[in-house]
Amino acid sequence: MNPTLALEVPFLDLKVQYRALAPEITRAVADVLESAQLVGGPFVENFEQEFASYIGARYTIGVSSGTSALELALRVAGIGPGDEVLVPANTFFATAEAVSNVGARPVFTDVDPTSFHLDVSSAERMITSRTRAIIPVHLYGRAMDLRQVLEFAAAYRLQIIEDAAQAHGSARNGTKVGASGRLTCFSFYPGKNLGAYGDAGAVTTNDAEEARNLRLLRDHGSPAKYQHSVIGTNARLDGLQAAILSIKLCQLDQWNHLRREHAKLMASALADSPVTPPEVTTAGEHVFHLFVVRTPQRNALRNYLRANGIGTGIHYPVPLHLTEAYQQLGYPGHGAFPIAEQLADEILSLPMYAELTDEQIEYTIDAVLNFAG
Ligand SMILES: Cc1ncc(COP(=O)(O)O)c(C=O)c1O
């Protein structure tokens, strides 16, 4: 703690959450270690059932990360070399990376300036005879309105694979993201709304065949020990993470509720301020994994908040078509996806987690309101 500051507001504080759950977590970890069911096994199966029932999906297949969830889902959907997959330019790198890792080509689309979600009209301009799939991302925790995506995918016979890495528990019209029956990919990276204590992920689906194939692929294509019916990989979820996730899953609704309450307060207080706050939509649609504001003076605001002890993030500073890794795809550079590019310069993620105190929230709001630019 810097003694010259009135208060500090870390961008994320996983330690506070841990302290509240420490006794339960310690017991669960000891149970796993005592049982020696470390990879796969009853703790994983238990969590898979709990998560499926929480989401309202028939099947949950636990895997080693959100990235492997996307890779396996793409493989199960039959996407591979020669195929093109539509991906929003403003998302975490892994959404596109998974496409590349199955041998297909990510094709970027622009995004909507208000919802920050994939813009279907931009996707339509990128269609070719090789386009096979589209990955809508429920970015920042807001469940995307998929009606246009569904029409578009039906018109061009595209598979839809949903990236719900940031959207645990968000819902539209009472249906949770992941319950649609389509392959939906979750990450349990520690900072997520439902986070493990290491890497972990899951795919949900309502299709028994897809579930079976996902289970095969995550475990060396192996239906039984030393039998290998297909070439898979090692993308298994481990028992420790599963047992920890089972404990945290019981808290998820309450944590999401608190995030929403904090977001409502912050958004209304910042309505007439130097920043544009995110839309606070109907109950349940947004679980505010991130609270992302916009301002043309982003860098100055970020520095000002830092000087006042408030941590921030940028999600994401470089649109995917401008990353070094994807220069190989030959996009024209700046100007290809103007909205995503403008967002990258203007967005700022303020601290957002269930454990934020009233004092921290007020302090953050005041700091933004006092920012003169
Ligand atoms: C939108 C999005 N997709 C995919 C991923 C990849 O998840 P993981 O880090 O668990 O591999 C993440 C997580 O960081 C993400 O935010």
Side-chain angles (χ1 to χ4, degrees), residues 65-67 70 91-92 94-95 137 163 165-166 187 189 192 199-200 316:
S65 68
T67 307
L70 285 162
T91 176
F92 181 58
T95 315
V137 181
D163 183 338
Q166 304 184 353
S187 162
Y189 183 75
K192 299 292 197 253
D199 279 308
Y316 295 90

Side-chain angles (χ1 to χ4, degrees), residues 64-70 90-98 135 137-140 163-167 185-190 192 198-202 289-290 315-316:
S64 54
S65 68
T67 307
S68 58
L70 285 162
N90 180 32
T91 176
F92 181 58
F93 185 74
T95 315
E97 187 181 37
I135 308 186
V137 181
H138 301 280
L139 200 69
Y140 305 151
D163 183 338
Q166 304 184 353
C185 304
F186 291 88
S187 162
F188 303 123
Y189 183 75
K192 299 292 197 253
D199 279 308
H289 171 57
L290 295 168
H315 301 85
Y316 295 90

